[in-house]
Amino acid sequence: MPTFKIIFALGFSLVARVKGSDQSILENTFIVKLSQHSELSHLDDRSPDHHELFHKRATDASLNYTIRHTYDAPGTYVGLSIQVYSGHSQDSIQAQLSTISGVEDVTPVFRITLPDPTLANSTIMADPSLVFNDATDIHAAPVPKADANLGSALQMGGVDKLHALGIKGKGIKVGIIDTGVDYRHPALGAGFGPGHKIAGGYSFLGDDGTHANSSDPLVTCLSAGHGTHVAGIIGMDPLGETQGYNVTGVAPEAELYMYRVFDCSQSGGSDDILAAMLRAEADGVDVVSMSLGIGQELPSGNDPLTEVTAKLHEAGIAVIVAAGNSATWSKFATQMYSEGMPSELPGAIAVGAIANKNFPLVWTVVDSKGSVIPYASLWPIEYPEGADLYMIDDGCNREQWDNAVAMLTDEGKLNSTVIGFRVTDLCRPADARSCCTITAPVYMMGMYSETSVPYYVDYDVPSSGYFGTAHFAAVSANDSLILLAGYEAAGGYGSYKLFFNDSSYSSPPQFVGGQMDWYSSFGPVWLNYTMKPQLSAPGGHTLSTWPLGPLGGYTILSGTSMATPYVSGSYALVKSQFPDLSVDDILALLQTNSKPVKWVWDESMLSATVQQGAGLVNPYDAIMSKTRVSPGQLLVTDNTHDTYGEETFVIENKANSPKTYSLSHEAAPFMFYQPAFREPNQLPKYGSVLFETSSVQVAAGASVHVTFTIVPPDDVDASRNPVFGGYIKVKSDDEILSVPYAGAAYSVFNTDYIHYDRNSPLPRVSYTLPNGETTIDTNILVVNSSMAYKSSISRDQYTRSYRVDVLPADTAIKPNKYGFDKTVQHDYVISKTGPKSSIFGFPSYGTIANATGLIQPGTTIWPSGTGVTATAPDGTVYSPGVGDYRWFVSVLRWGGDENVLEDHDTWLGPIVRLVDGAV
Ligand SMILES: *[C@@H]1O[C@H](CO)[C@@H](O)[C@H](O)[C@H]1NC(C)=O
Ligand SMILES: *[C@@H]1O[C@H](CO)[C@@H](O)[C@H](O)[C@H]1NC(C)=O
Ligand SMILES: *[C@@H]1O[C@H](CO)[C@@H](O)[C@H](O)[C@H]1NC(C)=O
Ligand SMILES: *[C@@H]1O[C@H](CO)[C@@H](O)[C@H](O)[C@H]1NC(C)=O
Ligand SMILES: *[C@@H]1O[C@H](CO)[C@@H](O)[C@H](O)[C@H]1NC(C)=O
Ligand SMILES: *[C@@H]1O[C@H](CO)[C@@H](O)[C@H](O)[C@H]1NC(C)=O
Ligand SMILES: *[C@@H]1O[C@H](CO)[C@@H](O)[C@H](O)[C@H]1NC(C)=O
């Protein structure tokens, strides 16, 4: 069954995410978990080799397979991943493997992706497998103008202040599971192994995707750009004033361990991630940083990644994962539940992305008219003698590109002309790249033209290599007007020149700087409204290291992929100061000291907690804070079947004098799913908080429990699965901490599960009359055994089971909802057949529908049949004969007991009177 969650796939086409679909799994490839228990009953101190036993048994069962990974981490995970060669289906191979003795679990291997909007395979670069074997020098350092600021991202989190104090992550080991790295880069230590910045690592894949083991994570194809960029965000060193850019990572003294799980075409599997996580644990890392995702729903059963993430968390290793880039810039798209796996896992810390305060690199060009026009670009264009400009009318028209390139080549002017195109909503640089083979131009310029969306106001540049070796420059919408007016007035191509002789950069503030970036995926966890992402960090327009070679060794990228290493670095900074704190303690410190940010579309509001989590991370405040509040986030939900929103946290005063804390509430927007009309996706509809006391005194070194109740906003429509959120502020004279909360804006236990619509009416029982018309429930439906029934039930909430039973019409069962008028009296025709079953102790003829498992909201058409039939407990379908019946629907409430009537939402239908002969 297709799931109801959708993601924006690479390249931003809308696709349904289908569990087990061909795109999301690697065919006939499985992770096999083996039992860790000894199979020997006699005393024998030789522990059995579980792997050997498996291979023997699999061979005996005539299975033909190759081994991808062997997992041998007793206490964490023992098993292997294999690719099976067989003509049988995926499911039957999985079933066969499951029957092998000693096998505990078999799961398919999922494809993994790099969740970066500008970096996705088909849009990242002309050729991700482009190899740069020569470690050429990196680009000479351009000169900063007075307002240049390559440190804005670090300043946003107070990281620059920690560096000034000498706090740089010394002694902490960070494992990065990614594409590998170009560690020849001088900013990354120009070397590998103990004593180097890149102190360790492993490569689980060769360039071509074969599972070739290597302890060397060096990757020289352009695909390594992602891992090289991520590594730089944590660990790069400034190179001073002669080469490259003088930028610094968040924790430049941390030791990095790089694990390669992508090949040069950026393919990899979830079994590679598992291998890397186990290897990282064995290497003794403190943090595992994962800027990746897999195309899979949160599994409801056993899952190796869930299990190993939990094990690492227990072992004191933080697993920090990108939330994903599945959101859109739209103010109207629902967005909720777009967070990906594995960031959704309970043991993982999910990270959202915030736009950089400043765009790092903007230069100027002077046109024939003398106008000075700024443009964004990684490196300056150097062409002081003046380049021509040739504007293409439609940048997404292949013929126009081909004609322009052919003409300029003929004229011998390809290398002295900037080819320009208008960037519109329908023709972004990614569209231009995918429509047309744009590798020939030397200089390209994107003229931005729209400002309808706040995010369009800022500069954007694709990664280095995106257009091959062509040099791309972006001109803002306002500046494009000036430039294009000059071009038109001068008479267009041939009579208008651009003089590039500015090699110093500025870093202008971004319009959306400091706010959630457009792609950053929204939570919450779809089953229980747990807040994800848990916090956010600068990830938009981040300047960091890039493989060496002609592209210059640096690039600007955006994504939750870039925010994740920022949080991993921040974690390392805190851990370096408080080595004894647990993962949850450090997470709480980071969360409660994060700064909630405003909503891009309306700055009178915060952005929803399911978008930003705790807000912008601030490791400086986390380290300096004299107060600890834990837990770091609250889930607002039913506490019991009749209490809701009761919360508690602990305030600990670490200062050496008493402190008085005042408690207050700052609300964040309300969001809902399943909209039927165009409405902003974040609304100023707020809950409230009832504090028992508005201020607490805490003695030096002491801690106090604080309890309070969070009340959701009034008048919510639970059928739209609404969420609300906000922050509980804990203020003292010198500090403000805040604890984010998120939850269902209604009691999930007590709400309606059966979608009940008085106008429709729903649920309904309908029969087709002999004349072809459909009759639906009134007080009594007279039917015969040749009339077909068809019925539907809509459910608004997740459930773990529902049933539809056929009951005698005079049943004494008391439902919550009636499909008929209770006040009308009837003389019942009693069936001569005895009920064969029961429900909640009331006699039942059996079921019409019976579903269990994790069942999503939606409409189900009951199986159709004729007359009145039921399935007896022994599985036989029969008709109980002439008589009066009612259909009874019961849907289990979340957290309810399936044997208790009151733990279900129930509906009893009208009389269905089965008669002999015509009706
Ligand atoms: C890789 O090494 C591991 C042990 O480190 C081994 O179990 C596995 O079979 C090796 N895989 C390949 C493809 O060589
Ligand atoms: C196993 O499968 C591979 C790939 O299909 C094939 O080349 C090989 O001959 C098979 N081996 C056996 C023993 O069937
Ligand atoms: C480079 O960055 C470092 C660290 O931020 C700073 O101390 C140094 O002054 C910078 N050097 C130059 C030349 O800007
Ligand atoms: C990347 O793109 C290439 C070319 O379009 C395609 O063959 C390959 O399968 C893609 N890889 C992934 C991981 O999507
Ligand atoms: C144009 O530039 C390309 C790449 O920069 C270079 O290989 C080529 O020789 C140049 N052609 C001319 C005519 O200058
Ligand atoms: C929320 O659901 C996830 C997935 O089922 C589960 O692991 C987690 O423990 C739940 N959290 C709470 C607070 O119930
Ligand atoms: C409903 O289905 C579940 C499992 O699918 C089964 O255990 C249960 O006995 C069924 N109930 C009835 C009344 O058929």
Side-chain angles (χ1 to χ4, degrees):
M1 194 200 334
T3 62
F4 93 131
K5 218 160 100 159
I6 50 175
I7 57 166
F8 283 87
L10 312 180
F12 302 103
S13 55
L14 187 65
V15 295
R17 184 158 31 158
V18 180
K19 197 166 187 170
S21 72
D22 290 338
Q23 292 102 17
S24 71
I25 60 171
L26 291 177
E27 213 186 332
N28 292 356
T29 305
F30 302 93
I31 296 173
V32 178
K33 183 183 181 193
L34 299 177
S35 162
Q36 295 187 38
H37 300 298
S38 167
E39 291 187 18
L40 305 175
S41 48
H42 57 90
L43 286 175
D44 182 343
D45 55 17
R46 260 184 349 117
S47 62
D49 186 325
H50 301 283
H51 295 98
E52 238 168 66
L53 284 171
F54 171 82
H55 293 309
K56 185 175 177 306
R57 289 165 180 161
T59 310
D60 289 350
S62 306
L63 276 163
N64 179 11
Y65 58 93
T66 49
I67 304 166
R68 286 164 61 95
H69 294 288
T70 298
Y71 307 123
D72 194 12
T76 306
Y77 202 86
V78 171
L80 69 168
S81 73
I82 57 175
Q83 181 176 8
V84 181
Y85 303 99
S86 154
H88 297 291
S89 72
Q90 174 92 13
D91 289 348
S92 72
I93 301 169
Q94 185 165 352
Q96 190 190 358
L97 285 169
S98 306
T99 61
I100 293 176
S101 163
V103 169
E104 280 193 352
D105 201 21
V106 183
T107 43
V109 170
F110 293 90
R111 270 183 215 291
I112 54 181
T113 56
L114 298 169
D116 187 298
T118 57
L119 249 168
N121 178 18
S122 57
T123 58
I124 172 180
M125 39 191 104
D127 180 4
S129 55
L130 206 66
V131 174
F132 297 123
N133 278 318
D134 298 329
T136 45
D137 286 342
I138 60 176
H139 204 289
V143 181
K145 288 197 175 80
D147 65 347
N149 181 1
L150 302 184
S152 58
L154 292 190
Q155 290 150 13
M156 287 168 73
V159 174
D160 56 327
K161 292 189 279 179
L162 291 173
H163 289 183
L165 296 171
I167 298 173
K168 297 184 176 180
K170 203 177 186 65
I172 304 301
K173 293 181 178 180
V174 182
I176 299 174
I177 301 180
D178 211 292
T179 63
V181 64
D182 184 354
Y183 55 63
R184 301 167 305 174
H185 203 296
L188 295 176
F192 174 66
H196 286 95
K197 180 184 294 295
I198 313 284
Y202 210 73
S203 178
F204 296 96
L205 282 175
D207 288 359
D208 61 0
T210 52
H211 280 74
N213 282 336
S214 157
S215 56
D216 186 346
L218 177 69
V219 181
T220 56
C221 59
L222 198 45
S223 171
H226 191 269
T228 304
H229 200 265
V230 163
I233 292 170
I234 300 178
M236 64 190 158
D237 290 318
L239 293 185
E241 49 193 24
T242 56
Q243 53 171 349
Y245 286 114
N246 196 42
V247 270
T248 310
V250 173
E253 288 178 5
E255 280 187 321
L256 305 186
Y257 286 69
M258 301 300 300
Y259 304 100
R260 179 188 194 183
V261 296
F262 289 93
D263 65 15
C264 283
S265 69
Q266 298 183 340
S267 300
S270 53
D271 61 335
D272 300 319
I273 302 182
L274 193 63
M277 289 174 85
L278 296 176
R279 185 90 200 181
E281 186 188 23
D283 285 340
V285 304
D286 300 287
V287 189
V288 170
S289 191
M290 293 203 270
S291 293
L292 49 76
I294 64 178
Q296 186 204 5
E297 296 290 357
L298 185 65
S300 48
N302 292 334
D303 170 79
L305 282 184
T306 310
E307 198 176 329
V308 171
T309 302
K311 286 274 168 60
L312 261 53
H313 179 260
E314 262 170 50
I317 301 167
V319 179
I320 301 180
V321 190
N325 302 325
S326 302
T328 74
W329 50 259
S330 174
K331 182 183 182 175
F332 301 105
T334 52
Q335 314 278 13
M336 272 167 47
Y337 306 116
S338 60
E339 167 110 12
M341 274 284 289
S343 68
E344 230 179 1
L345 294 177
I349 298 172
V351 181
I354 290 179
N356 199 340
K357 276 258 193 242
N358 297 70
F359 189 90
L361 300 164
V362 173
W363 326 78
T364 61
V365 60
V366 180
D367 74 355
S368 310
K369 305 238 151 194
S371 304
V372 179
I373 296 153
Y375 68 94
S377 170
L378 185 68
W379 304 106
I381 295 177
E382 283 159 51
Y383 212 111
E385 55 274 37
D388 285 310
L389 174 67
Y390 182 91
M391 281 301 295
I392 294 201
D393 285 339
D394 174 0
C396 285
N397 180 314
R398 171 178 215 135
E399 210 183 323
Q400 291 184 13
W401 278 102
D402 289 350
N403 290 345
V405 169
M407 185 206 74
L408 294 171
T409 308
D410 271 1
E411 292 185 3
K413 295 183 81 172
L414 189 61
N415 285 9
S416 57
T417 303
V418 176
I419 303 184
F421 66 100
R422 280 179 198 80
V423 178
T424 64
D425 200 15
L426 294 175
C427 185
R428 321 283 307 162
D431 305 310
R433 230 286 313 283
S434 51
C435 75
C436 315
T437 320
I438 311 173
T439 45
V442 178
Y443 304 113
M444 295 171 62
M445 194 172 255
M447 315 286 178
Y448 284 68
S449 59
E450 290 187 26
T451 52
S452 54
V453 170
Y455 297 108
Y456 287 174
V457 176
D458 292 318
Y459 289 110
D460 200 10
V461 289
S463 68
S464 306
Y466 189 82
F467 291 112
T469 50
H471 193 137
F472 180 86
V475 179
S476 76
N478 286 337
D479 295 325
S480 291
L481 289 178
I482 300 170
L483 192 152
L484 291 174
Y487 178 75
E488 296 302 329
Y493 170 67
S495 28
Y496 179 78
K497 284 200 186 297
L498 294 170
F499 301 89
F500 294 93
N501 55 7
D502 175 20
S503 56
S504 63
Y505 58 91
S506 52
S507 313
Q510 300 206 86
F511 188 70
V512 302
Q515 291 169 329
M516 293 307 294
D517 224 342
W518 60 273
Y519 44 78
S520 188
S521 295
F522 288 62
V525 175
W526 55 317
L527 296 183
N528 55 17
Y529 296 88
T530 296
M531 187 184 79
K532 293 268 177 173
Q534 279 132 316
L535 35 69
S536 296
H541 297 153
T542 304
L543 176 63
S544 181
T545 44
W546 194 245
L548 297 178
L551 301 172
Y554 287 85
T555 205
I556 296 170
L557 294 179
S558 299
T560 53
S561 281
M562 283 66 243
T564 299
Y566 194 110
V567 169
S568 300
S570 300
Y571 183 98
L573 295 175
V574 177
K575 178 85 178 168
S576 73
Q577 301 307 298
F578 306 109
D580 298 333
L581 290 187
S582 69
V583 174
D584 289 341
D585 288 340
I586 295 178
L587 175 61
L589 261 181
L590 288 171
Q591 288 187 302
T592 56
N593 287 286
S594 292
K595 314 294 175 228
V597 304
K598 305 280 189 201
W599 189 36
V600 157
W601 290 94
D602 181 348
E603 295 201 359
S604 70
M605 292 155 61
L606 292 175
S607 107
T609 53
V610 295
Q611 183 183 20
Q612 66 169 320
L616 173 60
V617 72
N618 191 307
Y620 178 82
D621 285 352
I623 288 171
M624 298 302 159
S625 175
K626 289 275 165 279
T627 302
R628 295 209 181 141
V629 181
S630 60
Q633 73 183 65
L634 303 170
L635 170 64
V636 189
T637 187
D638 300 305
N639 302 94
T640 66
H641 293 171
D642 42 36
T643 57
Y644 171 98
E646 290 176 358
E647 305 290 341
T648 175
F649 57 51
V650 178
I651 304 177
E652 186 183 358
N653 177 6
K654 304 286 282 184
N656 44 25
S657 54
K659 280 184 128 190
T660 303
Y661 297 98
S662 71
L663 301 171
S664 60
H665 172 226
E666 183 175 18
F670 173 89
M671 294 187 72
F672 52 76
Y673 200 69
Q674 332 243 35
F677 50 90
R678 207 169 146 86
E679 212 173 324
N681 60 25
Q682 304 200 21
L683 298 168
K685 184 166 174 151
Y686 299 134
S688 55
V689 181
L690 307 172
F691 294 105
E692 275 171 13
T693 159
S694 63
S695 94
V696 275
Q697 264 233 335
V698 185
S703 44
V704 166
H705 282 256
V706 176
T707 59
F708 49 93
T709 303
I710 301 181
V711 182
D714 292 335
D715 188 26
V716 304
D717 178 355
S719 72
R720 297 174 140 202
N721 311 113
V723 300
F724 75 127
Y727 299 85
I728 310 297
K729 301 272 176 189
V730 179
K731 293 186 201 175
S732 64
D733 288 344
D734 53 350
E735 299 184 299
I736 306 179
L737 281 78
S738 58
V739 183
Y741 71 84
Y746 57 99
S747 163
V748 176
F749 182 79
N750 292 297
T751 193
D752 287 335
Y753 280 64
I754 297 170
H755 186 81
Y756 190 66
D757 184 341
R758 280 162 201 83
N759 304 318
S760 230
L762 278 169
R764 80 171 114 218
V765 178
S766 67
Y767 277 82
T768 308
L769 296 171
N771 68 6
E773 281 174 15
T774 299
T775 177
I776 60 172
D777 47 338
T778 53
N779 272 318
I780 178 160
L781 277 164
V782 180
V783 307
N784 65 28
S785 59
S786 60
M787 284 166 62
Y789 59 77
K790 204 170 121 213
S791 317
S792 67
I793 163 180
S794 288
R795 284 158 290 94
D796 289 331
Q797 307 294 329
Y798 280 95
T799 180
R800 290 202 181 275
S801 87
Y802 72 87
R803 265 172 79 171
V804 183
D805 278 67
V806 179
L807 305 190
D810 62 351
T811 180
I813 206 162
K814 292 265 180 296
N816 315 117
K817 298 181 170 78
Y818 290 88
F820 57 93
D821 183 349
K822 279 191 291 181
T823 61
V824 179
Q825 299 293 312
H826 291 280
D827 291 328
Y828 293 116
V829 178
I830 305 298
S831 167
K832 297 207 164 56
T833 315
K836 299 191 174 186
S837 182
S838 71
I839 182 162
F840 308 123
F842 295 90
S844 164
Y845 288 95
T847 60
I848 292 178
N850 171 30
T852 57
L854 180 62
I855 305 160
Q856 295 163 355
T859 300
T860 312
I861 308 293
W862 296 342
S864 48
T866 54
V868 172
T869 55
T871 305
D874 65 4
T876 54
V877 179
Y878 73 108
S879 174
V882 165
D884 287 357
Y885 307 93
R886 292 185 191 278
W887 292 20
F888 176 72
V889 177
S890 54
V891 182
L892 180 63
R893 295 176 182 282
W894 201 250
D897 178 340
E898 60 187 68
N899 299 310
V900 177
L901 171 63
E902 290 70 30
D903 284 6
H904 294 73
D905 194 13
T906 51
W907 176 86
L908 188 62
I911 301 169
V912 177
R913 171 166 295 166
L914 182 65
V915 298
D916 264 335
V919 296

